[in-house]
Amino acid sequence: MDFDTLFQDLENQLERELDAELINRLEDEERDRRAKLTLRDRLRALHQTNPATVMTAIAKDGRTLTFQLKNVGKDWAAIEVHEPADIGGPLILGLHALTSVNIPLESVKESLGTPVGEVSDHDLKALSSNARLAEKVNLAFVLRDVSRRRKHVMIHTVLGQFHGTIDQVGADHLDITTSSGRQMIALREVLFVQMQ
């Protein structure tokens, strides 16, 4: 019996078993990471890897939107709407307003972010720079800025549209002055805000 061959075979077998165990552990960690992904995470990853992606979504009011992401915040997104024409252009969208999002098949992998055990070019850039402010602020913060600028807006909700200026934004609602008076709207009811 050749001891060198015996020990080499044992080493090879042990190495294969260790590799299989590592692969299984990485696959489990990746499944766990994907299970924790939010819609925001997926949209952010897609925007960071391919900001030109055109996608469609169905909003809670039944509209189908065709758009490109311009920015993704904590609970909102800035989008450029291509269709429908009546709300075409830049919008602020509450992520809660989306019931489904359809992304191109070739972009699905990018939307899932960086798998466990890999490092992407985007990850390296993120390590060398500060986190973007937009990713930290919520919808109320963005709407407070719109209010400060006294922009005329159209606020879309499931129940209808409100034209006017945002006077104040609280923790969970906003006040808009319209031609018929002042209206309070719960932020969870705001689907999108269109600047006019």
Side-chain angles (χ1 to χ4, degrees), residues 65-76:
L65 305 173
T66 302
F67 64 94
Q68 284 179 284
L69 287 168
K70 296 300 179 184
N71 207 338
V72 180
K74 189 173 184 178
D75 59 352
W76 59 277

Side-chain angles (χ1 to χ4, degrees), residues 13-31 116-118:
Q13 182 180 350
L14 179 61
E15 192 171 304
R16 280 191 304 273
E17 289 175 9
L18 289 174
D19 287 346
E21 182 181 328
L22 177 62
I23 289 170
N24 285 338
R25 191 173 59 219
L26 287 174
E27 287 173 351
D28 287 343
E29 288 176 15
E30 177 60 12
R31 276 191 291 274
V116 171
E118 293 182 20

Side-chain angles (χ1 to χ4, degrees), residues 152-153 161-165 167 175-185:
H152 190 75
V153 298
Q161 301 168 359
F162 300 90
H163 300 267
T165 55
D167 292 316
D175 291 3
I176 182 170
T177 297
T178 66
S179 59
S180 61
R182 194 173 228 188
Q183 183 78 33
M184 287 192 323
I185 304 171

Side-chain angles (χ1 to χ4, degrees), residues 2-52:
D2 180 8
F3 283 113
D4 289 336
T5 305
L6 174 67
F7 291 128
Q8 185 62 43
D9 287 345
L10 287 173
E11 274 182 34
N12 290 341
Q13 182 180 350
L14 179 61
E15 192 171 304
R16 280 191 304 273
E17 289 175 9
L18 289 174
D19 287 346
E21 182 181 328
L22 177 62
I23 289 170
N24 285 338
R25 191 173 59 219
L26 287 174
E27 287 173 351
D28 287 343
E29 288 176 15
E30 177 60 12
R31 276 191 291 274
D32 186 48
R33 183 190 73 80
R34 286 186 179 190
K36 294 176 183 173
L37 286 175
T38 63
L39 174 61
R40 174 196 177 266
D41 296 332
R42 303 239 359 231
L43 292 176
R44 194 171 128 248
L46 185 58
H47 180 259
Q48 290 170 338
T49 56
N50 190 2

Side-chain angles (χ1 to χ4, degrees), residues 46 49-50 52-54 102-111:
L46 185 58
T49 56
N50 190 2
T53 301
V54 175
N102 182 8
I103 59 174
L105 288 176
E106 64 272 9
S107 300
V108 171
K109 184 178 178 186
E110 287 86 6
S111 78

